[in-house]
Amino acid sequence: MSELARIEPADATGEVADLYDQLQTTIGVIPNMVRYMANSPAVVKAWMTLSSALDGGVLPAAVRHRLALTSAEYNRCTYCLSAHTFLAKNVAKLDQAEIDHARDAASDDPHTDAVLKLSDALARGRGSVADEDIKEARAAGVTDAEIAEIIANLALNVLTNYFNRFNDTPNEYPVLVTPR
């Protein structure tokens, strides 16, 4: 299995130590994923910056966690499925049915369902979607701002999915689900 070196907090120096301090302050932990990303501080900064920027966007956290679950299922990332199942339950307060639906790019809420289906179509089409996919999303009220953020969230989720798959990142979250 391929794996990058893992940089533990006790071994971090310079810019990596500074980034770890920022993460400890903002989220209270240094996720295992970041310990691999830290081989390039630019990657840690990119992940932190994009995550933070999208936190302030138009898509609420509950939708972003659903998007992460849809992507993690498609990309077969156990680490991200576990992390976002935990966060969806405990932070976004989603019920188990919605978490399960999100793994299948679906939701009981018609607007959220359209967001997830568009993201799934983008992933499967590698960025291209059929006109019908856009028409269906717009008919459900998905805005241009939301579409832009769907694409950005997909990029963020692919980054983390691929990073964790490549490194077979040890999971600090309860492994509640595995890819289907």
Side-chain angles (χ1 to χ4, degrees):
M1 183 86 197
S2 301
E3 185 177 310
L4 298 173
R6 182 178 157 120
I7 301 174
E8 299 298 338
D11 300 325
T13 60
E15 190 173 14
V16 172
D18 293 342
L19 290 166
Y20 281 6
D21 287 345
Q22 287 176 35
L23 283 168
Q24 193 66 49
T25 299
T26 57
I27 65 173
V29 297
I30 312 303
N32 287 337
M33 172 185 73
V34 173
R35 296 169 195 226
Y36 293 100
M37 287 180 168
N39 283 280
S40 171
V43 174
V44 177
K45 287 190 281 190
W47 172 73
M48 289 172 63
T49 301
L50 185 53
S51 295
S52 178
L54 292 172
D55 284 349
V58 297
L59 294 174
V63 172
R64 291 192 317 275
H65 286 299
R66 287 178 178 107
L67 286 166
L69 287 163
T70 299
S71 179
E73 182 67 42
Y74 178 68
N75 288 311
R76 303 190 52 76
C77 181
T78 300
Y79 183 92
C80 291
L81 273 174
S82 298
H84 288 284
T85 296
F86 179 84
L87 294 169
K89 273 185 185 176
N90 297 296
V91 176
K93 305 299 184 193
L94 293 176
D95 64 31
Q96 190 62 49
E98 274 299 298
I99 291 168
D100 291 341
H101 289 325
R103 293 178 65 191
D104 295 322
S107 173
D108 289 335
D109 174 71
H111 185 267
T112 302
D113 187 70
V115 166
L116 297 175
K117 285 188 175 14
L118 182 58
S119 179
D120 191 56
L122 281 159
R124 292 176 190 282
R126 295 179 180 88
S128 296
V129 295
D131 289 342
E132 189 61 31
D133 294 324
I134 297 295
K135 286 179 189 173
E136 288 175 12
R138 292 199 186 283
V142 177
T143 67
D144 285 350
E146 289 172 318
I147 292 170
E149 290 184 25
I150 290 165
I151 295 166
N153 274 279
L154 182 58
L156 175 64
N157 292 323
V158 167
L159 168 67
T160 61
N161 295 165
Y162 285 15
F163 224 92
N164 291 309
R165 297 265 339 250
F166 180 85
N167 290 295
D168 196 20
T169 305
N171 215 319
E172 67 262 46
Y173 298 95
V175 179
L176 303 173
V177 293
T178 56
R180 294 181 185 131

